[in-house]
Amino acid sequence: MTPLISRTRFSVLDRSRTREGHSGPEALRDTVRLARELEELGYHRFWVSEHHGVPGVAGSAPTVLAAAVAAATRTIRVGTGGVMLPNHQPLVVAEQFGVLESLFPGRIDMGLGRSVGFTDGVRRALGRGKEDAEDFGARIDELLGWFCGTSPTGVHARPAEGLTVPPFVLAMGEGATIAARAGLPVVIGDLRGRDRMRRGIDHYREHFRPSVWAGEPYVVISGTVAVADTAERARRLLIPEAWSMAHARTRGTFPPLPPAERVGSLAMTAKERGLYESGLGGHIAGTKEQVADELETVLEETGAQEVLVTTSTHDRTALLDSYRRLAALTGLTGPADPTGAKDGSAVRR
């Protein structure tokens, strides 16, 4: 373990991916179980996601799932990666996070994204259109105003007003600009597009304006990290997600994750095969030594303070083993202080 890795925070986003042979409710229970296990390993935070109408994802209500995770854990920070703000009224989001922070003080994060649904049908069902993503910055300003008590409506968000729930912006492109202008921490990915990631981070740091939420830029990089005793076994962890992504991009539906061994027997068109092979590349995957080298490189390139691991696979036992190996190589030593940095400073982020 290098000094650079040892001072970096490591966290996890679990998307509650459904798996062939397993139900959606089981996927949600798997997420809660994983959070407990990762808390014991010393990961800094555990986030859940928001997806609507996706066969391969059970996590559709992130603040509800975050409450279940927080209730099942004691010290790990819990949050959303993220609540898709264009889908919701900012007042309601503020109220939800106010309730979470009231129930689990000092442990809640508010990760915010600007997606509005993957398909026209989902957007219609939500009563939203693609254009709703364009006022993301204004929605963030309104949301944060509810916590500060500055809404011009005369209405007060209860119990959110006066509470501090650290906000993060999930961003690439325009989202990074919005995060910088608002003075908020940014979560930026993915690891497969290193050049684009670096450009986004540079732009964010260059245009960052200090705020009451963050006095200086704070960068979280996100992506898949897989660790196993051999490079081949680590690569095997990537196979189900790579195939599901290829299927989604060629057939328009995002399916449950198949077992890795079944993917090897599937017939694929040339386009599917190309997308599948592409989906296997660019991640951080391999043995402990290989992953440590790659992490060192990407941290040097980006200057990120934190890594948010987003690995999904069919084999949950192998996934937990990967997280255990990653915890060992990064120096995690057990349940973390949710209000402190890795070096012990009292930064609530």
Side-chain angles (χ1 to χ4, degrees):
M1 178 179 57
T2 68
L4 180 55
I5 291 176
S6 68
R7 63 175 178 262
T8 301
R9 289 167 166 163
F10 286 84
S11 302
V12 171
L13 165 65
D14 190 74
R15 293 191 175 91
S16 304
R17 293 285 274 114
T18 55
R19 301 175 291 151
E20 288 186 2
H22 302 267
S23 67
E26 185 177 354
L28 297 173
R29 293 191 292 269
D30 284 343
T31 291
V32 175
R33 186 178 305 113
L34 181 63
R36 288 198 297 264
E37 292 162 333
L38 296 185
E39 177 179 64
E40 292 305 310
L41 292 173
Y43 283 88
H44 182 61
R45 65 181 99 243
F46 187 92
W47 282 4
V48 297
S49 63
E50 176 181 341
H51 296 275
H52 299 283
V54 180
V57 185
S60 57
T63 54
V64 176
L65 185 53
V69 169
T73 55
R74 298 174 295 106
T75 60
I76 196 168
R77 296 195 64 88
V78 178
T80 56
V83 165
M84 296 300 126
L85 197 51
N87 293 337
H88 310 281
Q89 290 298 327
L91 170 61
V92 176
V93 175
E95 290 170 337
Q96 291 172 346
F97 279 97
V99 170
L100 284 170
E101 177 64 19
S102 298
L103 293 174
F104 309 102
R107 293 180 56 205
I108 300 301
D109 299 323
M110 184 168 59
L112 307 166
R114 65 194 294 262
S115 296
V116 289
F118 292 128
T119 67
D120 290 338
V122 169
R123 289 189 289 271
R124 284 195 301 271
L126 291 170
R128 296 293 186 266
K130 290 183 179 180
E131 68 279 0
D132 287 296
E134 300 306 314
D135 66 349
F136 183 53
R139 284 176 173 268
I140 286 180
D141 291 342
E142 181 183 344
L143 172 61
L144 298 181
W146 290 115
F147 287 93
C148 298
T150 57
S151 171
T153 65
V155 176
H156 297 273
R158 309 293 186 195
E161 188 173 311
L163 298 180
T164 300
V165 181
F168 296 74
V169 176
L170 281 63
M172 284 294 280
E174 178 63 20
T177 300
I178 291 169
R181 187 183 67 238
L184 302 179
V186 69
V187 182
I188 196 162
D190 65 35
L191 294 170
R192 290 177 298 173
R194 304 286 177 87
D195 289 342
R196 186 183 178 202
M197 175 189 283
R198 285 193 296 269
R199 288 194 300 271
I201 291 171
D202 290 344
H203 180 84
Y204 165 73
R205 289 197 175 110
E206 181 182 351
H207 294 88
F208 183 86
R209 300 176 185 174
S211 72
V212 297
W213 304 98
E216 59 187 24
Y218 188 86
V219 174
V220 183
I221 56 173
S222 66
T224 295
V225 181
V227 195
D229 57 347
T230 68
E232 180 57 35
R233 284 178 178 160
R235 183 180 183 276
R236 185 180 180 84
L237 287 171
L238 309 178
I239 288 174
E241 184 80 3
W243 180 84
S244 291
M245 291 296 293
H247 187 280
R249 292 181 63 182
T250 54
R251 307 193 186 191
T253 59
F254 197 63
L257 295 172
E261 57 270 19
R262 192 172 80 76
V263 174
S265 65
L266 294 175
M268 301 185 201
T269 65
K271 183 177 181 180
E272 285 174 325
R273 177 66 62 179
L275 290 169
Y276 167 68
E277 294 293 343
S278 176
L280 291 172
H283 306 289
I284 295 179
T287 63
K288 176 180 176 180
E289 294 75 19
Q290 291 169 327
V291 168
D293 286 344
E294 289 196 58
L295 280 174
E296 181 82 8
T297 297
V298 74
L299 290 172
E300 286 178 347
E301 291 175 347
T302 63
Q305 290 98 323
E306 185 169 345
V307 177
L308 181 68
V309 183
T310 63
T311 310
S312 296
T313 195
H314 185 277
D315 188 339
R316 298 290 289 194
T317 299
L319 178 64
L320 178 57
D321 180 69
S322 175
Y323 281 127
R324 285 176 176 148
R325 292 174 186 271
L326 180 61
L329 76 88
T330 57
L332 302 183
T333 57
D337 175 1
T339 64
K342 200 166 183 180
D343 62 2
S345 62
V347 178
R348 283 196 59 203
R349 189 165 56 225

